[in-house]
Amino acid sequence: MYIKKILWAIALIGLIGAAIFAYFIYDAMMSPNTNFDNDEAYIYVATDASYSEVRAQLEPLLEDIDAFDALAARKKYTKYLIPGRFVIKKGMSNNDIINSIRSNNIPIKLSFNNQETIAKLAGRISTQIEADSTALLAAMTDETFFSNSGFSKATALGMYIPNSYEFFWNTSAEDFRNRMLKEYNRFWNDNRNARAKAIGLSRDEVIALASIVQKETAKVDERPRVAGVYLNRLKVGMPLQADPTVIFAIRNKSGDFNQIIKRVLYKDLEIDSPYNTYKYSGLPPGLIAMPDISSINAVLNSEKHDYYYFVVNVENFGYHKFAKTLAQHNRNKQEYIRWINQKGINR
């Protein structure tokens, strides 16, 4: 009888111990363990991240990092990390958190516009995804990619249609580039291809002209009219004589794309560059900046008119005065020259 009591006591103690252990396991797994006021927080797990690096991001977000460590080790998360951007919602348990950062890679909204060079675009993208600007620039200017895709150093920027796109944060430089080629081909649908054919321009030529239109006017409603001027000039063989192409030629020759040029001087028109549309007829060999979709569509759907000239409208800034004849244009131009001289703008 005495031995049975001892055995029962041992069994009872074992059950109690098991219950306590189960409670602590349950508590570690299922009790809330967040320590932030917002509804949610995000962590970013790099492709080659270690658990200690992930832990450093988690520690300020959790009430009990040691309890998380114990469960993470038990569930082998410490050895098998998944790269990406992950959400932790307020009130999540350790188990919920591990499940989230193991399997719920949240995409980001990536956006870009108005980038003047492929290098600047790489820098802009690197602030939004894991790939750094060096890797992005290398992927975006890869000669093998150019050969396979039909782009070149001069036209490469035109492949990147400015918009908002959904990407995973841990997208590689090559995957970003390849996805943007698909988006470019999707953008050039049957309607846009037909419009380009109707005006006698290739895709690259449309985007090169759109980049000039983009730089000539910030007014979206004026872009189809400006595009019409340049298309009229191309039809009759007139030089485009676009000041933004001269500014690009100066910057491109110096390698300094940050220099500010507010006024094109007569001496600038002599710069020997295929981008100087005062010196060389037709379109430049590539785009001079990244055009908005509105500028591309302005070229494809330009305003039909008889204007061949335009100059800044000093009575309605942001817009331009258009002219059909050189004599009329020269009168409009004198108004602009008087205004710019009064402002003391020499460069």
Side-chain angles (χ1 to χ4, degrees):
M1 180 66 73
Y2 180 73
I3 294 175
K4 286 184 178 181
K5 288 182 179 181
I6 292 175
L7 292 174
W8 276 108
I10 292 172
L12 183 60
I13 291 170
L15 288 172
I16 293 171
I20 292 172
F21 178 76
Y23 170 78
F24 280 114
I25 291 296
Y26 178 85
D27 186 62
M29 291 181 63
M30 308 308 294
S31 294
N33 189 28
T34 57
N35 184 33
F36 50 86
D37 295 327
N38 296 333
D39 292 334
E40 55 191 29
Y42 291 88
I43 66 166
Y44 296 80
V45 181
T47 299
D48 57 353
S50 64
Y51 178 69
S52 62
E53 291 171 323
V54 177
R55 188 183 190 277
Q57 291 187 66
L58 288 169
E59 189 166 8
L61 303 176
L62 305 185
E63 286 279 0
D64 188 348
I65 189 65
D66 293 330
F68 181 86
D69 285 339
L71 187 60
R74 187 177 182 85
K75 299 190 75 170
K76 295 184 171 53
Y77 176 75
T78 54
K79 294 182 178 179
Y80 303 104
L81 305 178
I82 306 298
R85 171 180 180 256
F86 303 97
V87 64
I88 300 173
K89 296 183 178 179
K90 187 175 183 179
M92 270 187 168
S93 67
N94 288 327
N95 194 58
D96 293 334
I97 294 168
I98 291 171
N99 288 340
S100 180
I101 63 179
R102 171 176 276 166
S103 61
N104 192 24
N105 192 359
I106 307 280
I108 62 164
K109 283 289 185 183
L110 179 150
S111 63
F112 58 87
N113 63 359
N114 301 328
Q115 304 303 307
E116 293 191 318
T117 66
I118 203 79
K120 288 186 177 181
L121 175 61
R124 167 69 178 150
I125 300 305
S126 70
T127 66
Q128 300 178 75
I129 62 175
E130 181 184 7
D132 64 30
S133 58
T134 301
L136 284 161
L137 184 59
M140 295 158 81
T141 57
D142 179 69
E143 290 295 339
T144 301
F145 174 76
F146 284 163
S147 177
N148 293 335
S149 63
F151 286 93
S152 66
K153 185 178 180 180
T155 62
L157 187 61
M159 192 188 87
Y160 301 87
I161 305 297
N163 212 330
S164 292
Y165 301 94
E166 195 171 82
F167 276 90
F168 287 114
W169 174 79
N170 55 306
T171 298
S172 71
E174 290 77 12
D175 286 345
F176 168 76
R177 176 202 64 197
N178 295 342
R179 162 77 181 283
M180 293 314 301
L181 177 59
K182 291 180 181 178
E183 295 293 344
Y184 170 86
N185 288 325
R186 186 178 293 117
F187 174 81
W188 281 100
N189 54 31
D190 290 344
N191 179 61
R192 288 194 174 98
N193 282 321
R195 289 300 308 151
K197 185 177 181 180
I199 61 177
L201 298 180
S202 68
R203 292 178 177 183
D204 287 341
E205 290 171 332
V206 168
I207 291 182
L209 182 51
S211 71
I212 298 173
V213 172
Q214 175 83 21
K215 282 296 187 179
E216 285 286 15
T217 178
K219 301 296 184 182
V220 173
D221 60 328
E222 192 184 51
R223 285 174 178 167
R225 177 167 291 191
V226 171
V229 170
Y230 286 127
L231 287 170
N232 285 345
R233 289 190 163 207
L234 287 172
K235 286 177 186 176
V236 299
M238 286 178 63
L240 295 184
Q241 296 185 332
D243 286 1
T245 66
V246 178
I247 293 172
F248 178 86
I250 295 169
R251 290 172 172 167
N252 190 51
K253 192 168 185 177
S254 68
D256 180 8
F257 282 90
N258 293 317
Q259 61 180 304
I260 297 173
I261 302 172
K262 294 183 178 180
R263 184 176 186 175
V264 173
L265 307 176
Y266 284 113
K267 67 176 183 178
D268 296 329
L269 306 184
E270 298 304 317
I271 185 171
D272 190 14
S273 166
Y275 288 94
N276 181 357
T277 56
Y278 280 84
K279 199 173 187 69
Y280 293 93
S281 297
L283 288 162
L287 61 170
I288 62 171
M290 176 183 287
D292 291 345
I293 291 175
S294 65
S295 293
I296 300 172
N297 287 337
V299 173
L300 294 173
N301 303 280
S302 65
E303 184 179 311
K304 303 300 184 288
H305 53 61
D306 296 323
Y307 296 127
Y308 287 86
Y309 309 92
F310 64 95
V311 70
V312 172
N313 186 346
V314 297
E315 298 170 351
N316 187 13
F317 284 105
Y319 288 94
H320 295 78
K321 281 190 174 182
F322 293 80
K324 297 179 181 180
T325 67
L326 182 58
Q328 183 185 2
H329 171 66
N330 284 336
R331 289 193 296 271
N332 294 337
K333 185 178 177 181
Q334 286 305 312
E335 291 180 6
Y336 171 67
I337 290 174
R338 282 195 297 271
W339 176 85
I340 202 169
N341 286 337
Q342 288 171 0
K343 295 297 181 182
I345 300 173
N346 299 314
R347 191 55 171 158

